[in-house]
């Protein structure tokens, strides 16, 4: 027996899986379903989404362009921390989920729905991101996760269900899809199926939005990115809003084969998974932001940021974007960015984005202090004497003890 619900807002992509979910929700709960599709720059034809939902009897269909909000309020704040999960992953899927959840909840409140639903499976991270966000945003909202409830256990059963209910099954979906894809303005993630053997190199066709660095232009391209308080605001002197800017960097990155990643990561649910990521613009942005901070942040401030970063990344990965601890860390990170303004120039070449120069009117970099040439009295080399002596004191003590006492 299912719990009673009167209206459900479904995160609907127009694909086979969420179409089956839509039908299943209608059958199981006998209530109105509102279909919500977020345009996050996934690059699919969203006009087809509407007709597919209509065909399934949905009258309230909402397709919202959230690209600007996605980059401005989610991607950019995350990039202020130079966020990477387990050393490499730029969290392209993780950071999109709280935004989708925010709108699922908002629409539910608007139409008086008591439940939301999503197509994430019971084995992944995304279910946590959707549901923890929903819990934090509206404690009363119910969440329906069909993949954890129904008896459909395989692709074949899914296709059979679709056929029984006159849901058109695209030819290429009849067999097993070769892998699962999640795309938005920040990244494209590919995992599962043919990629599950972590001991096998991925085939070239897995990569969808970057050229192979081998085939990238033989001439490097130089790009200058301007920053204001930690956020990128211009490319080669042209002021751009967050979305436009990321689109511009994506273009440059994909052309030069930048931002490819083949990673085995630890999911929050306890399994390791192998995925291929392409984050062209984000990879350039990360390098540029680090370059900007290198001259504008004090050492201790920079090191503190680097210490909390893995923790902050883990929060986002695990689905705790809306949580007191994430907000606390965000306040710290945001404050650190007050002077992170200026320009960084990078060279893009065959898969690499390397900083080649940086400048800022807030720079802490002092050629006068660091120079090997004439001293101007700002740094007295003799001061280093005592500094080293006191730092070495405990090391001498430790070494003497070790030589005395057999290990
Ligand atoms: N493993 C990534 C994460 O948890 C991506 C998840 C979604 N990707 C996909 N291809 N279904 O953030």
């Amino acid at each position: 027996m299912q719990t009673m619900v009167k209206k459900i807002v479904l995160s609907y992509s127009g694909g086979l899986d969420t179409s089956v979910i839509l039908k299943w929700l209608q059958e199981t709960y006998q209530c109105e379903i509102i279909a919500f599709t977020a345009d996050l720059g996934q690059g699919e034809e969203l006009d087809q989404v509407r007709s597919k939902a209509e065909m399934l009897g949905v009258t309230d269909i909402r397709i919202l362009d959230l690209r600007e909000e996605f980059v401005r309020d989610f991607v950019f704040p995350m990039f202020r921390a130079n966020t990477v999960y387990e050393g490499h992953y730029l969290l392209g899927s993780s950071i999109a989920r709280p935004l989708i959840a925010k709108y699922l909840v908002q629409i539910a409140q608007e139409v008086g729905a008591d439940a939301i639903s999503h197509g994430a499976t019971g084995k992944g991270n995304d279910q946590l991101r959707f549901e923890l966000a929903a819990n934090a945003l509206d404690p009363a909202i119910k969440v329906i996760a069909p993949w954890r409830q129904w008896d459909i256990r395989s692709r074949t059963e899914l296709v059979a269900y679709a056929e029984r209910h006159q849901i058109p099954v695209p030819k290429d979906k009849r067999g097993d899809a070769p892998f699962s894809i999640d795309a938005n303005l920040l990244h494209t993630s590919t995992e599962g199926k043919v990629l599950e053997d972590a001991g096998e190199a991925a085939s070239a066709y897995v990569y969808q939005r970057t050229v192979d660095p081998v085939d990238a232009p033989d001439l490097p391209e130089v790009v200058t990115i301007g920053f204001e308080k930690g956020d990128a605001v211009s490319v080669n002197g042209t002021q751009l809003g967050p979305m436009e800017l990321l689109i511009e960097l994506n273009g440059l990155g994909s052309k030069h084969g930048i931002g490819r990643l083949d990673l085995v990561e630890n999911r929050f649910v306890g399994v390791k998974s192998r995925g291929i990521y392409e984050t062209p613009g984000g990879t350039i942005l990360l390098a540029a932001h680090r370059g900007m901070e290198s001259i504008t942040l004090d050492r201790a401030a920079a090191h503190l940021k680097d210490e909390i970063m893995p923790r902050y990344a883990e929060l986002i990965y695990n689905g705790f974007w809306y949580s007191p601890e994430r907000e606390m860390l965000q306040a710290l990170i945001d404050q650190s960015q007050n002077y992170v303004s200026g320009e960084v120039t990078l060279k893009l070449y065959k898969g690499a984005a390397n900083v080649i120069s940086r400048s800022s009117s807030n720079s802490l970099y002092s050629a006068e202090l660091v120079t090997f040439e004439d001293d101007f009295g700002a740094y007295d080399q003799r001061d280093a004497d005592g500094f080293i002596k006191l730092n070495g004191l405990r090391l001498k003590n430790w070494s003497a003890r070790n030589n005395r006492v057999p290990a």
Side-chain angles (χ1 to χ4, degrees):
M1 186 55 205
Q2 306 287 347
T3 42
M4 288 288 293
V5 286
K6 38 184 215 302
K7 247 187 212 183
I8 306 166
V9 184
L10 168 67
S11 173
Y12 182 67
S13 73
L16 179 62
D17 290 35
T18 48
S19 295
V20 168
I21 286 174
L22 180 42
K23 194 78 210 169
W24 182 85
L25 289 172
Q26 288 166 334
E27 284 210 324
T28 309
Y29 296 94
Q30 306 282 329
C31 71
E32 191 197 339
I33 316 289
I34 292 98
F36 163 60
T37 305
D39 179 2
L40 297 177
Q42 56 269 51
E44 272 157 22
E45 292 107 87
L46 291 175
D47 34 311
Q48 285 186 24
V49 172
R50 180 170 298 279
S51 54
K52 280 187 184 156
E54 271 167 0
M55 213 174 55
L56 290 161
V58 180
T59 51
D60 193 346
I61 301 155
R62 302 176 185 220
I63 301 171
L64 299 178
D65 181 352
L66 303 181
R67 294 176 303 161
E68 188 70 34
E69 183 175 356
F70 175 51
V71 183
R72 185 191 63 222
D73 297 343
F74 292 81
V75 175
F76 274 17
M78 180 172 80
F79 270 74
R80 287 175 208 145
N82 304 316
T83 317
V84 287
Y85 179 67
E86 297 187 339
H88 301 280
Y89 173 35
L90 279 83
L91 297 172
S93 292
S94 328
I95 194 63
R97 304 305 178 232
L99 174 58
I100 298 170
K102 176 186 161 184
Y103 276 85
L104 283 171
V105 168
Q106 204 166 293
I107 294 168
Q109 288 170 344
E110 203 181 303
V111 303
D114 47 351
I116 61 169
S117 181
H118 61 76
T121 74
K123 267 195 161 177
N125 296 311
D126 286 331
Q127 52 179 343
L128 282 137
R129 297 167 185 153
F130 285 128
E131 295 179 39
L132 296 177
N135 291 162
L137 294 170
D138 184 346
I141 205 103
K142 296 189 189 93
V143 185
I144 302 169
W147 277 108
R148 306 202 300 257
Q149 292 186 30
W150 64 23
D151 313 311
I152 299 176
R153 285 284 163 269
S154 65
R155 173 87 4 196
T156 321
E157 285 175 32
L158 190 85
V159 169
Y161 185 100
E163 279 168 347
R164 267 204 314 282
H165 293 89
Q166 287 82 46
I167 299 169
V169 181
K171 269 217 174 61
D172 58 330
K173 294 273 157 103
R174 259 164 225 283
D176 254 8
F179 40 68
S180 151
I181 297 173
D182 179 55
N184 59 46
L185 270 190
L186 182 56
H187 87 167
T188 296
S189 143
T190 325
E191 58 185 43
K193 311 279 171 59
V194 300
L195 294 169
E196 270 163 21
D197 184 352
E200 270 298 313
S203 311
Y205 71 84
V206 172
Y207 294 91
Q208 299 158 60
R209 75 194 255 182
T210 53
V211 301
D212 189 324
V214 168
D215 304 319
D218 291 323
L219 284 178
E221 183 165 353
V222 168
V223 60
T224 297
I225 303 177
F227 284 89
E228 251 165 54
K229 292 186 193 282
D231 292 338
V233 293
S234 68
V235 176
N236 293 328
T238 307
Q239 296 284 129
L240 295 171
M243 175 188 80
E244 291 297 333
L245 188 133
L246 186 54
I247 291 173
E248 180 71 19
L249 295 185
N250 278 337
L252 291 167
S254 72
K255 172 177 162 196
H256 290 280
I258 291 163
R260 289 182 165 202
L261 172 66
D262 183 330
L263 183 73
V264 173
E265 73 200 42
N266 291 291
R267 286 188 189 160
F268 193 21
V269 290
V271 298
K272 289 186 188 293
S273 78
R274 188 272 192 99
I276 302 287
Y277 298 102
E278 292 169 275
T279 318
T283 301
I284 300 174
L285 193 57
L286 173 64
H289 185 258
R290 275 207 169 274
M292 195 73 269
E293 287 190 331
S294 71
I295 58 168
T296 52
L297 281 191
D298 163 68
R299 176 183 67 187
H303 290 188
L304 178 61
K305 282 192 75 216
D306 278 346
E307 276 175 47
I308 63 157
M309 183 279 279
R311 186 71 192 281
Y312 175 81
E314 190 179 55
L315 288 177
I316 297 175
Y317 186 86
N318 290 352
F320 293 93
W321 177 261
Y322 297 110
S323 69
E325 64 274 28
R326 203 280 304 175
E327 287 178 4
M328 287 163 71
L329 290 177
Q330 193 71 54
L332 182 154
I333 292 157
D334 289 353
Q335 197 197 311
S336 76
Q337 301 296 288
N338 282 338
Y339 293 95
V340 183
S341 305
E343 289 195 332
V344 175
T345 299
L346 305 98
K347 190 171 76 177
L348 314 179
Y349 180 64
K350 297 225 181 257
N354 293 319
V355 173
I356 54 171
S357 67
R358 43 333 245 154
S359 65
S360 168
S361 53
N362 302 330
S363 183
L364 294 168
Y365 181 86
S366 167
E368 204 168 277
L369 279 177
V370 81
T371 183
F372 283 103
E373 303 303 320
D374 284 354
D375 276 347
F376 298 94
Y379 187 111
D380 187 341
Q381 297 207 24
R382 280 169 296 197
D383 290 345
D385 251 343
F387 183 66
I388 297 168
K389 257 186 212 149
L390 289 184
N391 272 291
L393 185 59
R394 51 175 268 272
L395 299 179
K396 287 183 177 177
N397 191 24
W398 167 73
S399 172
R401 190 275 319 266
N402 288 359
N403 293 333
R404 246 186 0 253
V405 185

